[in-house]
Amino acid sequence: MKEQILAKAAEMFLTLGVKSVTMDEIAAEMGMSKKTIYTHFPTKTKLIEATALFVFDQISSGIQGIRDENKDAIEELFEIKDFACQNLKDEKSSPQYQLQKYYPKIYFSIREKQKKVLEELTRQNLRKGIDKGVYRSDLPVEFISRIYFIGILGIKDDDHFPEPEFSTNQLTEMHLEYHLRAIVTTKGLKKLETLLNKSSIK
């Protein structure tokens, strides 16, 4: 029951924003009383915190599964991008903005976890790509791993990338292409253009 509540809360929070959704609305969507939710999560803040961790763990687990498949470095990033976009349901900037504004402790705690995961993912991906000759051998790995994460945060900033001018999926795809075009070799560029063509056909 607890995981079902988290799954429904995650869906509603990502779609509507953490501030906009009430405990009554979650209970109504699940066909249960609000008291049932409170037996598992005594406050809305506790539910938001647990839901943020739930989404983070789901995404992290899925990313690790893709990494375990040991794909080509460029293909790996495309797979991860598609997985994240699918699971965040084209997340708008509003959920992140509301979390940061109204629940800053939760926001910064999750952001720190994301930072560790994404920077390590990027470091490993860069080393793999360099070893396989699809990324340049002279890349400053530590710098790129950090600037890539900062870029991920930046494209979620509604002041710079407002809806409906940019969708989350569009921004994510553009950010990934921008990142890869800066680091690929001639060999890597051929792979990148092949994957971009496939992506545009979908």
PDB file of all heavy atoms in Angstrom, residues 22-48:
ATOM      1  N   THR A  22      -3.217  18.266  -3.081  1.00  0.00           N
ATOM      2  CA  THR A  22      -3.561  18.098  -1.666  1.00  0.00           C
ATOM      3  C   THR A  22      -3.622  16.619  -1.298  1.00  0.00           C
ATOM      4  O   THR A  22      -3.748  15.754  -2.177  1.00  0.00           O
ATOM      5  CB  THR A  22      -4.914  18.736  -1.344  1.00  0.00           C
ATOM      6  OG1 THR A  22      -5.950  18.001  -2.030  1.00  0.00           O
ATOM      7  CG2 THR A  22      -4.960  20.201  -1.783  1.00  0.00           C
ATOM      8  N   MET A  23      -3.553  16.345  -0.021  1.00  0.00           N
ATOM      9  CA  MET A  23      -3.692  14.971   0.465  1.00  0.00           C
ATOM     10  C   MET A  23      -5.079  14.430   0.122  1.00  0.00           C
ATOM     11  O   MET A  23      -5.230  13.250  -0.193  1.00  0.00           O
ATOM     12  CB  MET A  23      -3.450  14.915   1.972  1.00  0.00           C
ATOM     13  CG  MET A  23      -2.064  15.363   2.405  1.00  0.00           C
ATOM     14  SD  MET A  23      -0.763  14.215   1.914  1.00  0.00           S
ATOM     15  CE  MET A  23      -0.633  13.194   3.396  1.00  0.00           C
ATOM     16  N   ASP A  24      -6.088  15.301   0.175  1.00  0.00           N
ATOM     17  CA  ASP A  24      -7.460  14.888  -0.185  1.00  0.00           C
ATOM     18  C   ASP A  24      -7.524  14.422  -1.631  1.00  0.00           C
ATOM     19  O   ASP A  24      -8.184  13.427  -1.950  1.00  0.00           O
ATOM     20  CB  ASP A  24      -8.432  16.060   0.019  1.00  0.00           C
ATOM     21  CG  ASP A  24      -8.758  16.306   1.484  1.00  0.00           C
ATOM     22  OD1 ASP A  24      -9.035  15.335   2.203  1.00  0.00           O
ATOM     23  OD2 ASP A  24      -8.722  17.482   1.903  1.00  0.00           O
ATOM     24  N   GLU A  25      -6.835  15.123  -2.514  1.00  0.00           N
ATOM     25  CA  GLU A  25      -6.861  14.777  -3.936  1.00  0.00           C
ATOM     26  C   GLU A  25      -6.151  13.448  -4.193  1.00  0.00           C
ATOM     27  O   GLU A  25      -6.626  12.638  -5.003  1.00  0.00           O
ATOM     28  CB  GLU A  25      -6.207  15.899  -4.754  1.00  0.00           C
ATOM     29  CG  GLU A  25      -7.067  17.150  -4.831  1.00  0.00           C
ATOM     30  CD  GLU A  25      -6.325  18.341  -5.420  1.00  0.00           C
ATOM     31  OE1 GLU A  25      -5.078  18.362  -5.349  1.00  0.00           O
ATOM     32  OE2 GLU A  25      -7.002  19.247  -5.950  1.00  0.00           O
ATOM     33  N   ILE A  26      -5.052  13.218  -3.496  1.00  0.00           N
ATOM     34  CA  ILE A  26      -4.355  11.936  -3.641  1.00  0.00           C
ATOM     35  C   ILE A  26      -5.250  10.806  -3.153  1.00  0.00           C
ATOM     36  O   ILE A  26      -5.373   9.762  -3.805  1.00  0.00           O
ATOM     37  CB  ILE A  26      -3.029  11.940  -2.857  1.00  0.00           C
ATOM     38  CG1 ILE A  26      -2.068  12.974  -3.458  1.00  0.00           C
ATOM     39  CG2 ILE A  26      -2.375  10.555  -2.890  1.00  0.00           C
ATOM     40  CD1 ILE A  26      -0.820  13.222  -2.634  1.00  0.00           C
ATOM     41  N   ALA A  27      -5.895  11.015  -2.000  1.00  0.00           N
ATOM     42  CA  ALA A  27      -6.796  10.000  -1.431  1.00  0.00           C
ATOM     43  C   ALA A  27      -7.952   9.714  -2.390  1.00  0.00           C
ATOM     44  O   ALA A  27      -8.317   8.552  -2.616  1.00  0.00           O
ATOM     45  CB  ALA A  27      -7.320  10.466  -0.081  1.00  0.00           C
ATOM     46  N   ALA A  28      -8.525  10.764  -2.970  1.00  0.00           N
ATOM     47  CA  ALA A  28      -9.647  10.604  -3.896  1.00  0.00           C
ATOM     48  C   ALA A  28      -9.224   9.829  -5.138  1.00  0.00           C
ATOM     49  O   ALA A  28      -9.954   8.953  -5.619  1.00  0.00           O
ATOM     50  CB  ALA A  28     -10.200  11.971  -4.290  1.00  0.00           C
ATOM     51  N   GLU A  29      -8.039  10.142  -5.667  1.00  0.00           N
ATOM     52  CA  GLU A  29      -7.515   9.448  -6.842  1.00  0.00           C
ATOM     53  C   GLU A  29      -7.321   7.955  -6.569  1.00  0.00           C
ATOM     54  O   GLU A  29      -7.481   7.122  -7.463  1.00  0.00           O
ATOM     55  CB  GLU A  29      -6.184  10.062  -7.267  1.00  0.00           C
ATOM     56  CG  GLU A  29      -6.308  11.343  -8.058  1.00  0.00           C
ATOM     57  CD  GLU A  29      -6.793  11.109  -9.470  1.00  0.00           C
ATOM     58  OE1 GLU A  29      -6.359  10.119 -10.093  1.00  0.00           O
ATOM     59  OE2 GLU A  29      -7.624  11.895  -9.947  1.00  0.00           O
ATOM     60  N   MET A  30      -6.990   7.629  -5.316  1.00  0.00           N
ATOM     61  CA  MET A  30      -6.711   6.239  -4.958  1.00  0.00           C
ATOM     62  C   MET A  30      -7.936   5.517  -4.400  1.00  0.00           C
ATOM     63  O   MET A  30      -7.875   4.329  -4.103  1.00  0.00           O
ATOM     64  CB  MET A  30      -5.566   6.179  -3.942  1.00  0.00           C
ATOM     65  CG  MET A  30      -4.262   6.723  -4.477  1.00  0.00           C
ATOM     66  SD  MET A  30      -2.859   6.258  -3.458  1.00  0.00           S
ATOM     67  CE  MET A  30      -2.757   4.485  -3.784  1.00  0.00           C
ATOM     68  N   GLY A  31      -9.035   6.257  -4.238  1.00  0.00           N
ATOM     69  CA  GLY A  31     -10.252   5.648  -3.720  1.00  0.00           C
ATOM     70  C   GLY A  31     -10.120   5.194  -2.279  1.00  0.00           C
ATOM     71  O   GLY A  31     -10.644   4.145  -1.888  1.00  0.00           O
ATOM     72  N   MET A  32      -9.419   5.995  -1.474  1.00  0.00           N
ATOM     73  CA  MET A  32      -9.228   5.649  -0.060  1.00  0.00           C
ATOM     74  C   MET A  32      -9.412   6.903   0.786  1.00  0.00           C
ATOM     75  O   MET A  32      -9.507   8.014   0.266  1.00  0.00           O
ATOM     76  CB  MET A  32      -7.834   5.077   0.164  1.00  0.00           C
ATOM     77  CG  MET A  32      -6.707   6.037  -0.131  1.00  0.00           C
ATOM     78  SD  MET A  32      -5.057   5.422   0.325  1.00  0.00           S
ATOM     79  CE  MET A  32      -4.922   3.967  -0.696  1.00  0.00           C
ATOM     80  N   SER A  33      -9.460   6.725   2.079  1.00  0.00           N
ATOM     81  CA  SER A  33      -9.601   7.863   2.962  1.00  0.00           C
ATOM     82  C   SER A  33      -8.248   8.524   3.195  1.00  0.00           C
ATOM     83  O   SER A  33      -7.201   7.880   3.085  1.00  0.00           O
ATOM     84  CB  SER A  33     -10.191   7.437   4.312  1.00  0.00           C
ATOM     85  OG  SER A  33      -9.236   6.690   5.046  1.00  0.00           O
ATOM     86  N   LYS A  34      -8.301   9.805   3.517  1.00  0.00           N
ATOM     87  CA  LYS A  34      -7.068  10.540   3.812  1.00  0.00           C
ATOM     88  C   LYS A  34      -6.369   9.940   5.030  1.00  0.00           C
ATOM     89  O   LYS A  34      -5.134   9.948   5.115  1.00  0.00           O
ATOM     90  CB  LYS A  34      -7.386  12.013   4.037  1.00  0.00           C
ATOM     91  CG  LYS A  34      -6.180  12.902   4.174  1.00  0.00           C
ATOM     92  CD  LYS A  34      -6.526  14.371   4.051  1.00  0.00           C
ATOM     93  CE  LYS A  34      -7.498  14.827   5.114  1.00  0.00           C
ATOM     94  NZ  LYS A  34      -7.715  16.288   5.097  1.00  0.00           N
ATOM     95  N   LYS A  35      -7.149   9.393   5.953  1.00  0.00           N
ATOM     96  CA  LYS A  35      -6.579   8.793   7.167  1.00  0.00           C
ATOM     97  C   LYS A  35      -5.642   7.634   6.824  1.00  0.00           C
ATOM     98  O   LYS A  35      -4.638   7.410   7.505  1.00  0.00           O
ATOM     99  CB  LYS A  35      -7.700   8.301   8.092  1.00  0.00           C
ATOM    100  CG  LYS A  35      -8.442   9.424   8.814  1.00  0.00           C
ATOM    101  CD  LYS A  35      -9.495   8.854   9.753  1.00  0.00           C
ATOM    102  CE  LYS A  35     -10.215   9.968  10.494  1.00  0.00           C
ATOM    103  NZ  LYS A  35     -11.268   9.435  11.401  1.00  0.00           N
ATOM    104  N   THR A  36      -5.988   6.893   5.781  1.00  0.00           N
ATOM    105  CA  THR A  36      -5.142   5.768   5.368  1.00  0.00           C
ATOM    106  C   THR A  36      -3.765   6.259   4.937  1.00  0.00           C
ATOM    107  O   THR A  36      -2.743   5.652   5.272  1.00  0.00           O
ATOM    108  CB  THR A  36      -5.800   4.993   4.210  1.00  0.00           C
ATOM    109  OG1 THR A  36      -7.106   4.566   4.604  1.00  0.00           O
ATOM    110  CG2 THR A  36      -4.979   3.791   3.818  1.00  0.00           C
ATOM    111  N   ILE A  37      -3.744   7.367   4.203  1.00  0.00           N
ATOM    112  CA  ILE A  37      -2.458   7.930   3.788  1.00  0.00           C
ATOM    113  C   ILE A  37      -1.673   8.392   5.011  1.00  0.00           C
ATOM    114  O   ILE A  37      -0.468   8.153   5.120  1.00  0.00           O
ATOM    115  CB  ILE A  37      -2.661   9.099   2.801  1.00  0.00           C
ATOM    116  CG1 ILE A  37      -3.313   8.588   1.513  1.00  0.00           C
ATOM    117  CG2 ILE A  37      -1.314   9.780   2.485  1.00  0.00           C
ATOM    118  CD1 ILE A  37      -3.591   9.659   0.485  1.00  0.00           C
ATOM    119  N   TYR A  38      -2.375   9.011   5.950  1.00  0.00           N
ATOM    120  CA  TYR A  38      -1.701   9.536   7.144  1.00  0.00           C
ATOM    121  C   TYR A  38      -1.143   8.425   8.038  1.00  0.00           C
ATOM    122  O   TYR A  38      -0.232   8.674   8.824  1.00  0.00           O
ATOM    123  CB  TYR A  38      -2.639  10.436   7.940  1.00  0.00           C
ATOM    124  CG  TYR A  38      -2.764  11.837   7.392  1.00  0.00           C
ATOM    125  CD1 TYR A  38      -4.002  12.373   7.038  1.00  0.00           C
ATOM    126  CD2 TYR A  38      -1.625  12.625   7.211  1.00  0.00           C
ATOM    127  CE1 TYR A  38      -4.108  13.660   6.533  1.00  0.00           C
ATOM    128  CE2 TYR A  38      -1.719  13.914   6.700  1.00  0.00           C
ATOM    129  CZ  TYR A  38      -2.968  14.430   6.368  1.00  0.00           C
ATOM    130  OH  TYR A  38      -3.061  15.705   5.863  1.00  0.00           O
ATOM    131  N   THR A  39      -1.651   7.227   7.939  1.00  0.00           N
ATOM    132  CA  THR A  39      -1.076   6.130   8.729  1.00  0.00           C
ATOM    133  C   THR A  39       0.333   5.784   8.234  1.00  0.00           C
ATOM    134  O   THR A  39       1.160   5.296   9.000  1.00  0.00           O
ATOM    135  CB  THR A  39      -1.956   4.860   8.666  1.00  0.00           C
ATOM    136  OG1 THR A  39      -2.069   4.433   7.304  1.00  0.00           O
ATOM    137  CG2 THR A  39      -3.331   5.118   9.242  1.00  0.00           C
ATOM    138  N   HIS A  40       0.579   6.044   6.953  1.00  0.00           N
ATOM    139  CA  HIS A  40       1.898   5.777   6.382  1.00  0.00           C
ATOM    140  C   HIS A  40       2.781   7.025   6.367  1.00  0.00           C
ATOM    141  O   HIS A  40       4.001   6.926   6.524  1.00  0.00           O
ATOM    142  CB  HIS A  40       1.749   5.259   4.950  1.00  0.00           C
ATOM    143  CG  HIS A  40       1.037   3.948   4.849  1.00  0.00           C
ATOM    144  ND1 HIS A  40       1.648   2.750   5.163  1.00  0.00           N
ATOM    145  CD2 HIS A  40      -0.237   3.647   4.472  1.00  0.00           C
ATOM    146  CE1 HIS A  40       0.782   1.761   4.980  1.00  0.00           C
ATOM    147  NE2 HIS A  40      -0.363   2.272   4.557  1.00  0.00           N
ATOM    148  N   PHE A  41       2.146   8.180   6.159  1.00  0.00           N
ATOM    149  CA  PHE A  41       2.881   9.443   6.069  1.00  0.00           C
ATOM    150  C   PHE A  41       2.158  10.480   6.927  1.00  0.00           C
ATOM    151  O   PHE A  41       1.125  11.018   6.500  1.00  0.00           O
ATOM    152  CB  PHE A  41       2.964   9.915   4.611  1.00  0.00           C
ATOM    153  CG  PHE A  41       3.523   8.866   3.685  1.00  0.00           C
ATOM    154  CD1 PHE A  41       2.674   8.080   2.912  1.00  0.00           C
ATOM    155  CD2 PHE A  41       4.894   8.648   3.603  1.00  0.00           C
ATOM    156  CE1 PHE A  41       3.181   7.107   2.069  1.00  0.00           C
ATOM    157  CE2 PHE A  41       5.411   7.677   2.757  1.00  0.00           C
ATOM    158  CZ  PHE A  41       4.549   6.899   1.996  1.00  0.00           C
ATOM    159  N   PRO A  42       2.645  10.743   8.134  1.00  0.00           N
ATOM    160  CA  PRO A  42       1.928  11.585   9.101  1.00  0.00           C
ATOM    161  C   PRO A  42       1.701  13.026   8.661  1.00  0.00           C
ATOM    162  O   PRO A  42       0.795  13.692   9.166  1.00  0.00           O
ATOM    163  CB  PRO A  42       2.805  11.527  10.354  1.00  0.00           C
ATOM    164  CG  PRO A  42       4.132  11.044   9.889  1.00  0.00           C
ATOM    165  CD  PRO A  42       3.893  10.194   8.704  1.00  0.00           C
ATOM    166  N   THR A  43       2.519  13.533   7.717  1.00  0.00           N
ATOM    167  CA  THR A  43       2.333  14.889   7.208  1.00  0.00           C
ATOM    168  C   THR A  43       2.561  14.898   5.699  1.00  0.00           C
ATOM    169  O   THR A  43       3.175  13.982   5.140  1.00  0.00           O
ATOM    170  CB  THR A  43       3.337  15.880   7.845  1.00  0.00           C
ATOM    171  OG1 THR A  43       4.667  15.507   7.439  1.00  0.00           O
ATOM    172  CG2 THR A  43       3.237  15.870   9.365  1.00  0.00           C
ATOM    173  N   LYS A  44       2.085  15.955   5.059  1.00  0.00           N
ATOM    174  CA  LYS A  44       2.315  16.087   3.616  1.00  0.00           C
ATOM    175  C   LYS A  44       3.806  16.232   3.322  1.00  0.00           C
ATOM    176  O   LYS A  44       4.305  15.702   2.324  1.00  0.00           O
ATOM    177  CB  LYS A  44       1.552  17.293   3.064  1.00  0.00           C
ATOM    178  CG  LYS A  44       1.691  17.418   1.545  1.00  0.00           C
ATOM    179  CD  LYS A  44       0.968  18.626   0.987  1.00  0.00           C
ATOM    180  CE  LYS A  44       1.198  18.743  -0.511  1.00  0.00           C
ATOM    181  NZ  LYS A  44       0.564  19.960  -1.093  1.00  0.00           N
ATOM    182  N   THR A  45       4.522  16.918   4.195  1.00  0.00           N
ATOM    183  CA  THR A  45       5.960  17.084   4.008  1.00  0.00           C
ATOM    184  C   THR A  45       6.673  15.730   3.993  1.00  0.00           C
ATOM    185  O   THR A  45       7.565  15.488   3.181  1.00  0.00           O
ATOM    186  CB  THR A  45       6.558  17.977   5.118  1.00  0.00           C
ATOM    187  OG1 THR A  45       5.933  19.265   5.061  1.00  0.00           O
ATOM    188  CG2 THR A  45       8.059  18.144   4.948  1.00  0.00           C
ATOM    189  N   LYS A  46       6.257  14.843   4.900  1.00  0.00           N
ATOM    190  CA  LYS A  46       6.849  13.497   4.946  1.00  0.00           C
ATOM    191  C   LYS A  46       6.546  12.743   3.659  1.00  0.00           C
ATOM    192  O   LYS A  46       7.395  12.000   3.143  1.00  0.00           O
ATOM    193  CB  LYS A  46       6.310  12.721   6.148  1.00  0.00           C
ATOM    194  CG  LYS A  46       6.786  13.229   7.497  1.00  0.00           C
ATOM    195  CD  LYS A  46       8.255  12.923   7.706  1.00  0.00           C
ATOM    196  CE  LYS A  46       8.715  13.290   9.104  1.00  0.00           C
ATOM    197  NZ  LYS A  46      10.172  13.112   9.285  1.00  0.00           N
ATOM    198  N   LEU A  47       5.335  12.915   3.133  1.00  0.00           N
ATOM    199  CA  LEU A  47       4.964  12.248   1.878  1.00  0.00           C
ATOM    200  C   LEU A  47       5.790  12.807   0.719  1.00  0.00           C
ATOM    201  O   LEU A  47       6.274  12.040  -0.126  1.00  0.00           O
ATOM    202  CB  LEU A  47       3.468  12.431   1.595  1.00  0.00           C
ATOM    203  CG  LEU A  47       2.972  11.881   0.246  1.00  0.00           C
ATOM    204  CD1 LEU A  47       3.233  10.387   0.137  1.00  0.00           C
ATOM    205  CD2 LEU A  47       1.488  12.180   0.048  1.00  0.00           C
ATOM    206  N   ILE A  48       5.963  14.111   0.678  1.00  0.00           N
ATOM    207  CA  ILE A  48       6.748  14.734  -0.388  1.00  0.00           C
ATOM    208  C   ILE A  48       8.193  14.253  -0.333  1.00  0.00           C
ATOM    209  O   ILE A  48       8.787  13.904  -1.362  1.00  0.00           O
ATOM    210  CB  ILE A  48       6.680  16.271  -0.282  1.00  0.00           C
ATOM    211  CG1 ILE A  48       5.274  16.740  -0.648  1.00  0.00           C
ATOM    212  CG2 ILE A  48       7.726  16.929  -1.187  1.00  0.00           C
ATOM    213  CD1 ILE A  48       5.014  18.200  -0.343  1.00  0.00           C
TER     214      ILE A  48
END
